[in-house]
Amino acid sequence: MIPTVKILSRRRLLARATSLAASLAITLPVTGLVGCGGSESVSDSDSRTDTTDLAESDSDSSTDTSSDSDSVASDESLAQDNSAIDWASGGTDSMSAEYPNPFDAGYGNTCDLTSQTTAGPCYSDTVAREDISEGRVGLPTRLCFRLVDANCDPVAGAVVDIWHCDRLGVYSGDAMQSVNFCTGGDSEYTSNDFFRGTQTTDADGVVWFSTCFPGWYSSRAVHIHFIVSINNTSYVTSQVGFVDDLVDDILTSHAEYSSRGTPDTHNYNDTVFPSSGYEEYLLDTHKMSDGSMLAWKTLMINA
């Protein structure tokens, strides 16, 4: 089952149309659009009354289908080639793209049981939120996970808990098993909880997170941890990673990462991912027109 897009994109009605319509006692139709940008909105292109026609006659109206400079662009296609665009910087505040739902677009719908891995020593307290960056800088990254059962049907109401290090390879928090190892004993990290958060799957089994691309630390390939729980029962604890060539490109060319250079560990020699078959843990990715990254994966559980 391929889920539909849940998150809605924002557009606004033209003030002049609203004012004139109000004076004529005409109610403008408001239509909710479906998109993946993150909030509920209305359309000014699909259901806007043309005020030119209203001015000519109060009994004749038409729909204005022309483009408007005030309108927000529709979700861009994942087939769009943005390779010539530089990766964005500055964190999630620099996101401006309209993110498509990759599963609705037919990408990443392969259903395979998600393999367990270790939670690692750096799990700490978390909070329910979509943007987990807390304003930290880095390559803005939009994560999308689809949770399904053994029949590949969506699982609604499951809590997806994710956490990862920052661009310097350091974790936040003070409630993990190995505080000094994970945070370096730095008070800036122990007193915060950035790059940690939970979201609950919708009717289509989908959750979204906004974050920044993780950095690396010795002995580990770049990765993101997650736990999937239903009614406080954990069904899978695992990790996801990124294609090595993509990681090397970002960590050596991006201004906010390049000072640390190429990681000393890749997927094939990672201490958690298997040297053979690590591909099953990797996220699909796409560079967006604003230079941010969209990354996604289907997670299957036995529920």
Side-chain angles (χ1 to χ4, degrees), residues 1-7 36 100-104 109 130 142-148 154-158 160 199-209 296-298:
M1 174 176 178
I2 299 176
T4 55
V5 184
K6 173 192 175 189
I7 306 176
C36 289
N101 185 319
F103 307 112
D104 188 57
N109 288 315
E130 184 174 294
R142 188 84 162 131
L143 294 173
C144 188
F145 294 104
R146 182 182 66 136
L147 187 65
V148 299
V155 178
V160 181
Q199 285 287 275
T200 301
T201 57
D202 62 15
D204 299 313
V206 173
V207 291
W208 291 87
F209 292 95
W296 65 93
K297 190 169 184 61
T298 293

Side-chain angles (χ1 to χ4, degrees), residues 24 26 36 40 68 100 147 279:
L24 295 173
I26 296 176
C36 289
E40 206 169 279
D68 193 289
L147 187 65
E279 292 85 359

Side-chain angles (χ1 to χ4, degrees), residues 202-220:
D202 62 15
D204 299 313
V206 173
V207 291
W208 291 87
F209 292 95
S210 293
T211 187
C212 296
F213 191 78
W216 65 276
Y217 53 93
S218 185
S219 82
R220 286 306 319 274

Side-chain angles (χ1 to χ4, degrees), residues 215-268:
W216 65 276
Y217 53 93
S218 185
S219 82
R220 286 306 319 274
V222 172
H223 61 282
I224 295 173
H225 297 261
F226 68 88
I227 297 174
V228 175
S229 301
I230 303 174
N231 296 328
N232 296 318
T233 298
S234 175
Y235 279 81
V236 63
T237 298
S238 195
Q239 304 174 27
V240 288
F242 301 85
V243 173
D244 285 325
D245 287 347
L246 174 68
V247 170
D248 289 351
D249 173 61
I250 294 170
L251 299 189
T252 58
S253 66
H254 195 292
E256 292 171 331
Y257 296 82
S258 59
S259 63
R260 303 189 68 233
T262 306
D264 66 6
T265 307
H266 292 84
N267 294 311
Y268 59 85

Side-chain angles (χ1 to χ4, degrees), residues 140-189:
T141 301
R142 188 84 162 131
L143 294 173
C144 188
F145 294 104
R146 182 182 66 136
L147 187 65
V148 299
D149 61 19
N151 295 317
C152 209
D153 293 327
V155 178
V159 175
V160 181
D161 186 352
I162 72 170
W163 69 101
H164 64 79
C165 65
D166 71 353
R167 64 190 176 90
L168 301 177
V170 185
Y171 289 89
S172 67
D174 62 357
M176 63 274 289
Q177 296 176 10
S178 304
V179 175
N180 286 337
F181 168 77
C182 299
T183 67
D186 189 324
S187 60
E188 178 187 357
Y189 289 88

